[in-house]
Amino acid sequence: MARAAGSEGARAHRAIAFDLAVLLGLVALFVANLCLGSVETTSAEVARILAGGPGDASTAAQVIWQIRLPRAIEAVLLGGGLSLSGFLLQTFFANPIADPFVLGISSGAKLVVAVVMIVVLGAGQVMSPAASVASAFLGSLITMGFVLLISRRVRIQSMLIVAGVMVGYICSAVTNFLIAFADDQAIVNLDNWSRGSFSGATWADVALVAACVLAMGAAVFALSKPLGAYQLGEPYAQSVGVDVRRLRMLIVLVSSLLSACVAAFAGPVSFVGIAAPHLARRGVGSSRPLFVTPACFLTGAAFCCGCDLIARTLFSPVELSVSAVTAVFGAPVVIALMLRGRAGR
């Protein structure tokens, strides 16, 4: 028992050390996002501007308060939320490559957003952030429902990923069909949305994102104990008093709302939901949700903050799609971790 307690304490210390290291990296990336850009400022100037409040009328202050700061905060929140969504789906499907993008959830969100933008609103109408969140959430939930229906008939877990990919292709095909009959402005709006970007973030957007992501993040942390039991199998979870059916429903709702929030405000962002949970688990040296949940959020936040910095500054003034940058860095990470895990076995 003493050995087990010592092992648990060692894992806790490792998790705390990893979280602190990632937090320091996140702070450095956040400051870099505020300093670098077409209007370059030093960290001392940024500190002075932030201390002076948003009333400063200088160009540098307006750029930081109205453009860079809300964008950086949104990237942190949405990156952390997407990572948590991927962690929940990987736990739910017991599959290391499950995430909202791979399972077609992002494509489903895009389809419903396209329906509302092109069919319901029509030409000349602007889609509000609240309508984007509601549409993306509905699309995420419908797509997740299809995948769950298929999961009842398919016993091989790897086939669920194939089913999710197929559902994603169907949603993309229907979306392309709608685009063929849309007006030019709707096509431009949908194309800009679907590229994946944190640009254009406002303080109103940040307030909505913070309310959603922080509430769902707290829910994930509160579910740490039943999630830990669920990881050991449904029979074990039931034997220790976990309502498995209710837990599965909560996992679906929380992961769908998180992925919907990301899709609504940043568009489809790939590979963060796969790569960040893998990095977090590897960093803390454990799969226990109590340790992995905060590490997941911080890792996803740092990953998206760094990728957004690259997307914004690498070929400035041309801005890359953040989804393209996350794929460039996320895909090799997943491949390397899987090959390392296979070699270890």
Side-chain angles (χ1 to χ4, degrees):
M1 184 176 294
R3 182 179 297 177
S7 177
E8 186 72 11
R11 282 195 291 266
H13 283 111
R14 177 173 174 176
I16 293 172
F18 178 79
D19 289 347
L20 288 175
V22 177
L23 181 60
L24 289 175
L26 174 59
V27 170
L29 290 169
F30 191 87
V31 172
N33 268 280
L34 297 183
C35 293
L36 300 179
S38 57
V39 179
E40 292 197 6
T41 53
T42 65
S43 56
E45 288 176 313
V46 169
R48 178 185 58 78
I49 289 170
L50 294 179
D56 192 338
S58 66
T59 301
Q62 291 302 305
V63 167
I64 288 173
W65 275 104
Q66 302 303 323
I67 299 176
R68 293 183 188 171
L69 187 57
R71 177 171 180 160
I73 295 174
E74 189 173 276
V76 168
L77 292 171
L78 293 181
L82 191 56
S83 178
L84 289 178
S85 179
F87 169 65
L88 287 175
L89 292 174
Q90 288 169 14
T91 302
F92 184 84
F93 288 105
N95 196 304
I97 62 169
D99 90 320
F101 197 84
V102 172
L103 288 175
I105 296 175
S106 296
S107 298
K110 179 181 177 180
L111 171 59
V112 176
V113 169
V115 169
V116 175
M117 189 179 292
I118 296 172
V119 179
V120 178
L121 295 179
Q125 305 245 1
V126 179
M127 196 170 184
S128 67
S132 297
V133 172
S135 302
F137 176 62
L138 180 61
S140 299
L141 206 58
I142 292 172
T143 309
M144 188 67 172
F146 275 117
V147 176
L148 290 177
L149 285 176
I150 296 171
S151 71
R152 292 179 177 271
R153 306 296 298 271
V154 176
R155 298 300 178 188
I156 303 174
Q157 290 288 346
S158 60
M159 294 301 295
L160 293 178
I161 302 299
V162 177
V165 171
M166 294 302 104
V167 170
Y169 277 127
I170 293 171
C171 292
S172 296
V174 177
T175 303
N176 290 334
F177 178 81
L178 291 173
I179 289 174
F181 296 94
D183 63 277
D184 292 342
Q185 186 58 49
I187 293 173
V188 170
N189 292 338
L190 186 62
D191 182 64
N192 291 337
W193 177 87
S194 63
R195 288 178 183 272
S197 175
F198 299 113
S199 64
T202 65
W203 286 110
D205 294 342
V206 170
L208 285 173
V209 169
C212 176
V213 172
L214 295 180
M216 293 302 102
V220 176
F221 191 78
L223 292 172
S224 293
K225 189 173 181 180
L227 280 174
Y230 184 81
Q231 286 178 333
L232 299 175
E234 290 187 18
Y236 175 80
Q238 290 174 337
S239 71
V240 296
V242 176
D243 187 341
V244 173
R245 185 174 181 180
R246 180 172 173 270
L247 178 62
R248 288 168 66 93
M249 185 181 301
L250 286 173
I251 291 174
V252 170
L253 287 173
V254 172
S255 62
S256 295
L257 186 55
L258 285 170
S259 60
C261 187
V262 176
F265 289 99
V269 180
S270 61
F271 280 101
V272 179
I274 301 179
H278 278 289
L279 289 170
R281 277 191 289 263
R282 181 74 65 177
V284 301
S286 172
S287 295
R288 285 192 59 185
L290 186 64
F291 297 151
V292 175
T293 299
C296 257
F297 184 89
L298 291 172
T299 304
F303 192 84
C304 275
C305 201
C307 288
D308 188 48
L309 178 64
I310 293 172
R312 188 169 57 84
T313 61
L314 185 61
F315 297 110
S316 181
V318 176
E319 184 171 316
L320 300 175
S321 161
V322 72
S323 191
V325 180
T326 56
V328 167
F329 288 97
V333 166
V334 174
I335 294 171
L337 289 174
M338 288 185 172
L339 290 176
R340 184 176 177 181
R342 185 178 178 86
R345 289 193 296 272

